[in-house]
Amino acid sequence: MTVAPSSGKPDTRAAVLDAARGWLGTPYRHQASLKGVGADCLGLLRGVWREVMGTEPEAPGPYTPHWAETGRRERMLEAASRHLEPIAAEAALPGDVLIFRVRPRGLAKHLGILSATPLAEGRLIHAYSGHAVCETALGPFWIRRIAGAFRFPTGDT
């Protein structure tokens, strides 16, 4: 973990990125969040939160693995807004969280941790069905589907 020279506090984004890379290779398991055993995209974020921030602020409750799910409540975006700091996608840096709406009329149902920038050349750490936690190119497919960008809280206000 690196220390920010101006505040003496841990560099949260660097800690998030280090923790996320520790999950690489964890098999995909819907609703799981156990490093090396199983995780989905939300499970990855929950596990990184526990490593960097401590106790999870809330339990996610049951959810489907289907990216094409429709409905009225944007539960993933709502939860992110409660516990993470919203930022502009263009301002996202390594260690920040990107949330995606895979289907145009679907709910935002996927997320990942940005691992390299700029966005056009970025990389993402995420998990999805059939794939272990992996680091992949962000690329146009994902960039077009960004529904929100967030930063872990630093405690600085």
Side-chain angles (χ1 to χ4, degrees), residues 17-65:
L17 189 53
D18 288 345
R21 285 199 168 121
W23 284 71
L24 292 173
T26 296
Y28 178 85
R29 299 281 184 270
H30 176 63
Q31 289 194 293
S33 183
L34 190 57
K35 187 192 300 187
V37 176
D40 60 8
C41 65
L42 182 57
L44 167 65
L45 181 64
R46 292 173 54 218
V48 168
W49 179 282
R50 290 189 305 267
E51 289 181 37
V52 175
M53 306 300 291
T55 304
E56 291 178 62
E58 68 179 80
Y63 53 92
T64 72

Side-chain angles (χ1 to χ4, degrees), residues 67-71 74 100-109:
W67 288 354
E69 182 178 351
T70 60
E74 290 281 4
F100 303 94
R101 184 181 321 286
V102 179
R103 303 282 186 224
R105 290 182 203 26
L107 299 172
K109 293 272 300 194

Side-chain angles (χ1 to χ4, degrees), residues 54-107:
T55 304
E56 291 178 62
E58 68 179 80
Y63 53 92
T64 72
H66 307 295
W67 288 354
E69 182 178 351
T70 60
R72 296 180 188 258
R73 294 254 344 252
E74 290 281 4
R75 294 178 193 274
M76 186 175 280
L77 288 170
E78 290 170 7
S81 294
R82 284 192 299 273
H83 305 295
L84 302 169
E85 299 170 3
I87 58 171
E90 302 78 31
L93 297 169
D96 290 339
V97 177
L98 298 177
I99 296 179
F100 303 94
R101 184 181 321 286
V102 179
R103 303 282 186 224
R105 290 182 203 26
L107 299 172

Side-chain angles (χ1 to χ4, degrees), residues 23 26-29 32 38-45 67 109-113 124-136 142:
W23 284 71
T26 296
Y28 178 85
R29 299 281 184 270
D40 60 8
C41 65
L42 182 57
L44 167 65
L45 181 64
W67 288 354
K109 293 272 300 194
H110 187 62
L111 63 82
I113 296 171
L124 186 71
I125 298 173
H126 58 142
Y128 54 101
S129 183
H131 300 273
V133 175
C134 56
E135 186 171 3
T136 61
W142 290 114

